[in-house]
Amino acid sequence: MTSTADPARARRGRPGHSLDSLLDIAVAVFNERGYDATSMEELAARLGVTKSAIYHHVSSKVELLRLALDRALDALFAVTEEPGATTGPAIDRLEHVVRGSVRVLAAELPFVTLLLRVRGNSPVEQAALQRRRQFDRVVTDLVRAAEEEGGVRPDVDPAITSRLLFGTVNSLTEWYRPDGGLSADDLADALVATTFQGLRARPAPSPPS
């Protein structure tokens, strides 16, 4: 995934502290203490720099939050634009999006964790929630298309199916650790095996001979 950092901005500031490394630390502290409870002084102390060094990269704590949330959201939306998400039967496209979302979660775990904790307390958080709702609509539309094609069982509302699927994906932030010996692909395989078994439409029984 491409970095959200502007190269010209990343070159400024003290040696050894790029915008990416600043974001990594900021997101870790936001997740530990909460965004509202974190001050720029605390971020500077964690980085071992002055606040002015941080301001070489960003204009405010709010900008750090926006960059962090966009990093998670951009990665999720990128999955929906991949060929596997845009061509083929809808049930296969849905599976691709679910697998891709698990990979994003594993690769950007702190950023996705932060995204799932926002509650709309600021314009930046409200914008992030709006984008999350857009992503939810993409998934719901895929479920609906799969239902129309006969790929998923028709007795569950597509919006509910979407929420159940991504409620399961999102719950991985509570326990998954990339260094725990379970790869993102293994995790996606397990999730798809357990959720899609009940989701896929069952073939009609053969008539008695």
Side-chain angles (χ1 to χ4, degrees):
M1 189 182 72
T2 57
S3 169
T4 56
D6 182 317
R9 300 180 71 179
R11 286 194 294 270
R12 298 199 297 269
R14 295 189 177 184
H17 290 293
S18 67
L19 179 54
D20 281 339
S21 66
L22 172 58
L23 274 175
D24 288 341
I25 295 297
V27 169
V29 179
F30 292 161
N31 284 333
E32 289 170 12
R33 294 183 51 79
Y35 170 76
D36 291 330
T38 301
S39 67
M40 292 296 273
E41 288 82 0
E42 288 172 294
L43 292 179
R46 181 70 68 92
L47 283 161
V49 299
T50 63
K51 283 197 301 179
S52 62
I54 298 177
Y55 290 130
H56 278 290
H57 296 289
V58 294
S59 61
S60 64
K61 190 177 74 165
V62 172
E63 186 179 1
L64 281 171
L65 179 64
R66 180 184 61 78
L67 290 170
L69 297 177
D70 281 349
R71 178 161 160 174
L73 286 161
D74 289 348
L76 289 170
F77 274 98
V79 171
T80 68
E81 297 171 359
E82 293 171 352
T86 57
T87 59
I91 186 66
D92 293 340
R93 288 184 278 140
L94 177 63
E95 180 176 331
H96 181 91
V97 171
V98 170
R99 287 182 177 277
S101 298
V102 172
R103 289 196 303 271
V104 169
L105 182 144
E108 304 289 358
L109 183 58
F111 292 83
V112 175
T113 300
L114 180 65
L115 172 64
L116 295 177
R117 291 179 178 177
V118 300
R119 294 294 179 266
N121 295 330
S122 68
V124 166
E125 293 189 21
Q126 291 165 13
L129 290 177
Q130 177 63 28
R131 291 189 70 191
R132 277 187 61 187
R133 286 190 286 270
Q134 292 172 0
F135 181 83
D136 291 344
R137 283 196 292 271
V138 170
V139 176
T140 299
D141 288 345
L142 278 176
V143 176
R144 184 173 290 109
E147 181 180 306
E148 292 171 355
E149 292 175 6
V152 302
R153 52 192 305 164
D155 55 335
V156 181
D157 183 88
I160 295 176
T161 298
S162 173
R163 292 190 181 97
L164 289 173
L165 275 176
F166 277 84
T168 304
V169 173
N170 294 341
S171 72
L172 301 178
T173 61
E174 300 300 323
W175 61 267
Y176 176 70
R177 296 297 176 264
D179 58 356
L182 185 65
S183 73
D185 287 339
D186 290 338
L187 189 61
D189 287 343
L191 190 147
V192 167
T194 55
T195 58
F196 275 69
Q197 182 176 358
L199 176 63
R200 289 181 182 272
R202 298 173 182 174
S206 302
S209 55

